Amino acid sequence: MARQVWKPGNMVYPVPAAMVTVADKAGNTNIITVAWTGTICSDPPMAYVSIKPERYSHHMIEETGEFVINLTTKATAFATDYCGVRSGRDEDKWKATGLTPEKASKVSVPIIRECPVNIECQVTEVKRLGSHDMFLAKVLAVDVDEAYMKENGKFELNSTGLIAYSHGEYRELGKAIGKFGYSVRKKR
Ligand SMILES: Cc1cc2nc3c(=O)[nH]c(=O)nc-3n(C[C@H](O)[C@H](O)[C@H](O)COP(=O)(O)O)c2cc1C
């Protein structure tokens, strides 16, 4: 079968649809949904978000140099979409979604209680790329919901109902098909 060749565009999917929390210097806070986010370095742990300058959240990140990446689940999918189609310029998205702000451990920006993982970040560099500004950041702390901690100390992240965003749709993750390195592990 022949392949179509499309003009350049963004087609790296699936990606997260994270709810990113932000604050300005006066202490006002907001939630923005961000798909252009990810890990960029393991040691030191670093992450990024790419945000359009016209987003209300953009100036807030610039003011405090901080943000929190809150991982999203099936239970928070509706709120995730909402925070991606409504602006904090016009309304309080905490009130509109019923999400609960909680104090972070290292940054001034609140974490979202309903999310199983909250990644506290401090901006180290801003890259003005074009449509989006990329905020590169150091991870200062990772908060996890104790409800998913097992007695043996294992964090059951894959039991939290994580969702992904792919080609315009929010999707649940399917069942496990292998573990890291399973392709080379000897069968017992
Ligand atoms: C699934 C999804 C992913 C999105 N990803 C991004 C993104 O990576 N960067 C961005 O600037 N806007 C992204 N948006 C759009 C913003 O979330 C949206 O414009 C939002 O209303 C901005 O909120 P604010 O004005 O309160 O900052 C995304 C929206 C959705 C629904």
Side-chain angles (χ1 to χ4, degrees):
M1 185 73 88
R3 297 221 152 225
Q4 294 183 5
V5 178
W6 292 355
K7 66 179 169 48
N10 296 111
M11 213 17 130
V12 178
Y13 288 120
V15 287
M19 284 191 281
V20 172
T21 36
V22 295
D24 64 14
K25 268 202 269 180
N28 301 304
T29 64
N30 190 34
I31 314 168
I32 173 175
T33 298
V34 172
W36 302 163
T37 179
T39 295
I40 45 172
C41 187
S42 308
D43 186 15
M46 290 186 70
Y48 84 97
V49 291
S50 280
I51 312 258
K52 286 192 173 185
E54 58 263 38
R55 309 291 187 227
Y56 181 64
S57 302
H58 185 278
H59 82 281
M60 302 177 97
I61 300 184
E62 290 216 301
E63 276 184 30
T64 56
E66 294 176 342
F67 60 86
V68 177
I69 301 169
N70 302 271
L71 300 191
T72 56
T73 59
K74 207 174 157 192
T76 56
F78 191 87
T80 302
D81 185 64
Y82 192 91
C83 291
V85 293
R86 290 279 191 264
S87 179
R89 208 176 268 123
D90 310 316
E91 61 178 279
D92 180 339
K93 290 192 248 184
W94 295 102
K95 277 207 186 110
T97 57
L99 293 171
T100 318
E102 263 178 11
K103 206 173 157 2
S105 65
K106 297 277 196 235
V107 296
S108 61
V109 175
I111 64 171
I112 300 175
R113 186 206 288 166
E114 289 78 7
C115 294
V117 175
N118 324 93
I119 301 157
E120 301 184 30
C121 298
Q122 183 179 55
V123 176
T124 55
E125 204 183 323
V126 187
K127 290 202 169 289
R128 318 268 174 204
L129 298 175
S131 62
H132 291 65
D133 284 350
M134 182 186 197
F135 294 93
L136 282 68
K138 247 192 327 198
V139 175
L140 298 187
V142 178
D143 308 69
V144 302
D145 185 344
E146 273 188 349
Y148 299 100
M149 288 300 298
K150 289 227 305 210
E151 273 171 21
N152 63 6
K154 189 170 184 289
F155 181 55
E156 293 286 347
L157 178 61
N158 291 324
S159 304
T160 62
L162 289 177
I163 56 167
Y165 179 68
S166 185
H167 204 35
E169 292 178 352
Y170 307 96
R171 313 280 301 197
E172 289 179 60
L173 302 188
K175 59 179 193 309
I177 53 171
K179 282 198 172 173
F180 181 95
Y182 84 109
S183 62
V184 294
R185 207 157 289 141
K186 282 202 183 108
K187 289 195 184 90
R188 286 183 199 171

